[in-house]
Amino acid sequence: MKHTDLLRRGVRCALGALALGACSPKTAAVVTTAPAPAAATATAAAPAPAPAGPAFQIPVEYYTLPNGLRVTNSLLGGSFGSRITRNIREDKGYTYSPYSSVGTHYHTGDWSESADVTTKDTYNSLHEIVNEIERLQKTPPSADELKGIQNYESGMFVLRNSNPGGIISQLNNLDLQGLPDSFLTEQVKNINAVTPAQVSATARQYIRPEAMTIVVVGDQKVVAPQIKKFQDSLKKPL
């Protein structure tokens, strides 16, 4: 059987029963590959909010929520100097290019962390990702750490709008979500208004290991026992 057929079968087995818009978290889905690879690809994903306008019956004060999630994501795993990256790449060497992101869709969104990790360190990698999430949930970042991330996100916003394509993309998102112009014109201000306490609160509300679907693609013989160990290690939500 081809690798693509194995992958397709694994995805269908793991996620095929989900209805559109439903959220049924799974701790892990293991897809075998042959020959056995030296690395496993792990992705942890959870539902998250997206900006939405009056047509979606969300009040104006929620317009700034995605900025808090964006800042939280960058601090946790969405930038090169993020906590997860420093932990499983720089400190422990489990992976080369881990990265988290916030996906925005029509009136919904998702947060995900992905990494190609050494197969033997699958459990260690997932365990450290959850450790960093829980650490941020419990303890707000320092003002200096948060300010560095806010400067990064403010700069990225400017860069994303430095060409016609970027501007069109931003305007398209405004139209899709039914947002006012102020969502863009006040975005840098709102990014810099996020507080350390709000970062921790955002992590507790939206980046929750117990709500995540975790998919690992790798050598089942090596990965499956580590997944079982990871399942047994999960703690109760905060």
Side-chain angles (χ1 to χ4, degrees), residues 72-79 82-85 98-100 111 113:
T72 301
N73 169 67
S74 287
L75 189 148
L76 185 61
S79 62
S82 65
R83 292 184 174 188
I84 292 175
T85 300
Y99 191 76
S100 70
W111 178 89
E113 168 78 29

Side-chain angles (χ1 to χ4, degrees), residues 95-128:
T95 181
Y96 182 74
S97 55
Y99 191 76
S100 70
S101 62
V102 178
T104 301
H105 316 291
Y106 181 65
H107 291 166
T108 187
D110 64 84
W111 178 89
S112 64
E113 168 78 29
S114 296
D116 294 327
V117 303
T118 48
T119 304
K120 66 181 180 64
D121 292 312
T122 300
Y123 165 79
N124 292 332
S125 301
L126 292 172
H127 182 69
E128 290 302 327

Side-chain angles (χ1 to χ4, degrees), residues 140-159:
S142 69
D144 286 344
E145 182 183 18
L146 176 57
K147 189 59 181 174
I149 294 296
Q150 289 169 321
N151 289 341
Y152 168 79
E153 277 298 329
S154 297
M156 290 302 297
F157 176 77
V158 173
L159 287 175

Side-chain angles (χ1 to χ4, degrees), residues 3 6-7 9-10 28-43 115-122 126 214-227:
H3 292 184
L6 285 168
L7 178 59
R9 187 176 67 178
V30 180
V31 181
T32 60
T33 58
T41 298
T43 297
D116 294 327
V117 303
T118 48
T119 304
K120 66 181 180 64
D121 292 312
T122 300
L126 292 172
I214 299 175
V215 177
V216 179
V217 179
D219 182 353
Q220 189 172 30
K221 296 189 301 296
V222 180
V223 169
Q226 297 183 73
I227 295 301

